[in-house]
Amino acid sequence: KARKNSFKTNWQKHKIVKPKFIGTKILKDFSLQEIVLYFDWTFFFHAWDITGKYPQIFEHKEKGKHAKKLFNDAQIMLAEIIEENWLTANAVIGLFPANSNGDNIVVFNNEDNKVVNFKFIRQQEEKKNKKHYLSLADYIAPQDSEKLDYIGAFALTTGLNIEQKVKEFEDTNDDYSAIMLKTLADRFAEAFSELLHKKVRTEFWGFAKDEDLSTEELFKSKYQGIRPAIGYPACPEHSEKRVLFDLLNVEKNTGMSLTENFSMSPAASVSGLYFAHPEAKYFNIGKITKEQVEDYAVRKNISMKTAERFLRNIPGY
């Protein structure tokens, strides 16, 4: 029933934009100065358990003074990070031909003629008003449409070289500066993610080359397309990061790595996929049935027990 009520596109009328390049682009030692322009300071304060929007938070009766001090301290450290290159920003972006096949997305990696499969989950929780049951695969043209579509993938980090500086602070019992540096490294990663997505939309892929959005509008995702991170609500199963890392040769191209539990190292890292479909939106998978877990195990060629472990709290049984 969920698959029958998937999100559908009239692919014959749908305009597919071919990327400016096919394959991977490696970006090493990217300008930290340029990345800072895409900082969303609201989430910087959230990391310190200060809820509220930037810059309005400064006017808050109770939180304002603390927020202002944190912000000023962050500016001082930011200047040092940039001037003394405390952090290194590396990324790899890939743009590839692709088609969907059921709830899978088949990616044609031109560099070595390898076919790569991303396996996705579909929403199954009962919906009223005939709403769609979404899977990310819905946003890519199916194989039987006889139209070749495209998908993007990315992995980036701003956490390389951070350990040495953090240790320097910790060795002098300056825990505040150590935490501040880690927090700013995370903000750099998110800002780098925002900046690169904009470059993909307007330059590298170019499906929104006339986009003219303010930073505020970018933070509200007013642009065309989405960049879901693997492990987050629309694709909550972390082991698919291994597929992405292999596709982009992430370890070699960025210096990032994956732990055996599919966590990214360094911590200040982001990876995910780019979808250009104008109606693509972020969504939450929610709970799924045993039937879909069994189907997922078959698609990934893993045991039911492993599938349940990978899917963690998603099975609703």
Side-chain angles (χ1 to χ4, degrees):
K1 182 186 171 185
R3 280 179 169 159
K4 196 177 168 187
N5 289 290
S6 62
F7 172 79
K8 292 178 179 65
T9 297
N10 183 337
W11 292 106
Q12 301 319 309
K13 290 185 177 177
H14 182 79
K15 184 174 180 265
I16 291 172
V17 177
K18 185 179 179 181
K20 298 288 185 287
F21 72 87
I22 296 293
T24 55
K25 183 183 282 290
I26 301 160
L27 301 161
K28 290 237 170 122
D29 291 322
F30 200 89
S31 164
L32 297 176
Q33 191 80 60
E34 192 177 340
I35 295 170
V36 169
L37 304 174
Y38 292 81
F39 262 50
D40 186 345
W41 286 100
T42 294
F43 288 99
F44 166 80
F45 294 115
H46 286 187
W48 294 93
D49 292 328
I50 299 175
T51 50
K53 263 189 86 63
Y54 167 83
Q56 294 89 327
I57 189 70
F58 296 144
E59 310 304 320
H60 195 279
K61 200 164 58 180
E62 287 123 37
K63 305 173 189 172
K65 193 177 172 186
H66 184 34
K68 192 72 185 160
K69 183 189 182 310
L70 274 172
F71 185 74
N72 289 340
D73 290 346
Q75 300 311 304
I76 293 165
M77 187 175 278
L78 263 181
E80 289 181 286
I81 289 170
I82 293 166
E83 196 173 325
E84 297 175 22
N85 286 316
W86 288 3
L87 302 174
T88 304
N90 286 349
V92 57
I93 293 167
L95 299 171
F96 305 101
N99 280 120
S100 61
N101 178 17
D103 294 337
N104 297 345
I105 292 176
V106 183
V107 181
F108 307 103
N109 178 3
N110 281 17
E111 291 178 2
D112 51 15
N113 295 318
K114 210 165 69 178
V115 173
V116 176
N117 276 282
F118 282 101
K119 286 98 176 171
F120 295 108
I121 306 290
R122 184 172 296 282
Q123 292 175 323
Q124 269 188 298
E125 286 185 18
E126 195 71 41
K127 295 186 182 187
K128 291 173 184 170
N129 308 325
K130 295 183 179 173
K131 284 189 176 173
H132 302 299
Y133 293 81
L134 300 172
S135 166
L136 287 173
D138 295 345
Y139 300 132
I140 297 290
Q143 288 175 322
D144 62 13
S145 70
E146 294 179 5
K147 288 190 89 169
L148 190 62
D149 207 345
Y150 299 91
I151 194 168
F154 70 96
L156 63 90
T157 184
T158 54
L160 296 165
N161 310 333
I162 194 175
E163 292 86 359
Q164 189 185 336
K165 203 71 200 171
V166 168
K167 189 176 183 304
E168 279 178 37
F169 288 130
E170 288 173 347
D171 286 348
T172 56
N173 296 317
D174 188 356
D175 290 341
Y176 175 66
S177 292
I179 294 166
M180 178 66 80
L181 178 54
K182 288 178 189 174
T183 306
L184 288 174
D186 288 343
R187 287 297 93 220
F188 266 109
E190 293 298 336
F192 196 16
S193 182
E194 196 70 73
L195 184 161
L196 287 186
H197 193 191
K198 182 182 177 181
K199 281 186 173 293
V200 165
R201 295 190 305 272
T202 59
E203 296 173 40
F204 303 148
W205 192 333
F207 59 81
K209 59 180 185 292
D210 300 324
E211 176 183 297
D212 184 22
L213 298 174
S214 67
T215 314
E216 185 87 4
E217 288 170 317
L218 290 181
F219 295 157
K220 290 179 180 170
S221 304
K222 298 284 187 189
Y223 44 75
Q224 179 183 329
I226 56 173
R227 62 165 188 278
I230 294 170
Y232 282 77
C235 44
E237 206 277 272
H238 287 265
S239 79
E240 287 294 293
K241 278 188 210 142
R242 186 67 264 166
V243 182
L244 185 145
F245 268 55
D246 290 345
L247 175 66
L248 298 177
N249 207 351
V250 172
E251 285 92 343
K252 178 173 176 266
N253 290 331
T254 67
M256 294 163 64
S257 61
L258 274 184
T259 69
E260 59 181 22
N261 293 320
F262 311 107
S263 293
M264 289 179 290
S265 179
S269 300
V270 184
S271 64
L273 298 164
Y274 294 128
F275 290 83
H277 197 298
E279 291 179 77
K281 63 177 186 178
Y282 296 104
F283 57 88
N284 193 340
I285 288 292
K287 297 291 183 190
I288 62 172
T289 66
K290 191 171 186 176
E291 183 191 16
Q292 187 170 182
V293 177
E294 287 168 347
D295 173 81
Y296 192 67
V298 170
R299 285 191 284 138
K300 276 186 78 82
N301 193 24
I302 54 177
S303 70
M304 189 67 178
K305 192 176 176 183
T306 303
E308 288 171 334
R309 180 165 59 84
F310 281 177
L311 291 163
R312 298 183 190 181
N313 57 351
I314 306 159
Y317 56 90

